[in-house]
Amino acid sequence: MSDAPEDLVDAATAVRDNAVANYSNFKVGSALRTDSGAIFAGCNVENATLGLTVCAERVALWKALSEGERSFTEIAVVTAAERPTPPCGACRQLLWEFCGDIPVFMVSTLGKRATLQLSELIPYAFDKRDL
Ligand code: THU
């Protein structure tokens, strides 16, 4: 498994500063690379409903899709957690749908890193083949 690309980690780290995380105080930054090399970054956005919170990964994904991007190669997730933070189940499902089996680079600003393929994070996923 390759090391986390520093430009992708830097983009996720930078956008994390914009996290709207007043309820959890858990700031997340994510950066998604397209097959042409462009990077789309997103932070988590919380609100008083709590349930309508959107994760950083989905913000990055929606930004890219809404700009017309359709092919992705890798994603980074940056938090300040002790354990490198994996995408939640909902984000795994959506990343699988739109990105396929990309590497997920999980990086803590405290120093720990982990990398898994998305297929390891969501094995035997439901997708269009099942319809
Ligand atoms: N969160 C993300 O943005 N991405 C993850 O991978 C895990 C969780 C956010 C959602 C919420 O704003 C906060 O972290 C705590 O769950």
Side-chain angles (χ1 to χ4, degrees):
M1 190 73 65
S2 60
D3 288 340
E6 290 310 317
D7 61 342
L8 202 66
V9 173
D10 287 349
T13 304
V15 78
R16 182 173 169 268
D17 285 343
N18 300 328
V20 183
N22 308 314
Y23 296 95
S24 72
N25 290 317
F26 191 76
K27 293 182 161 203
V28 187
S30 183
L32 181 62
R33 195 188 314 270
T34 71
D35 65 349
S36 65
I39 292 175
F40 288 81
C43 61
N44 54 330
V45 180
E46 299 179 353
N47 54 85
T49 68
L50 304 183
L52 292 177
T53 289
V54 185
C55 293
E57 296 90 325
R58 261 176 283 169
V59 172
L61 181 59
W62 296 158
K63 282 175 67 177
L65 289 170
S66 63
E67 292 300 319
E69 300 291 346
R70 291 292 183 271
S71 185
F72 304 98
T73 58
E74 53 191 2
I75 189 167
V77 183
V78 173
T79 67
E82 191 61 46
R83 184 182 77 134
T85 303
C88 78
C91 287
R92 294 179 198 199
Q93 180 70 38
L94 290 164
L95 290 169
W96 180 259
E97 169 95 23
F98 294 108
C99 307
D101 194 13
I102 57 171
V104 181
F105 302 106
M106 296 160 273
V107 174
S108 166
T109 58
L110 302 180
K112 288 200 182 139
R113 294 183 174 207
T115 302
L116 288 169
Q117 285 295 126
L118 190 56
S119 58
E120 296 176 280
L121 289 166
I122 183 165
Y124 200 61
F126 172 81
D127 59 32
K128 62 181 181 229
R129 293 171 300 183
D130 297 299
L131 295 176

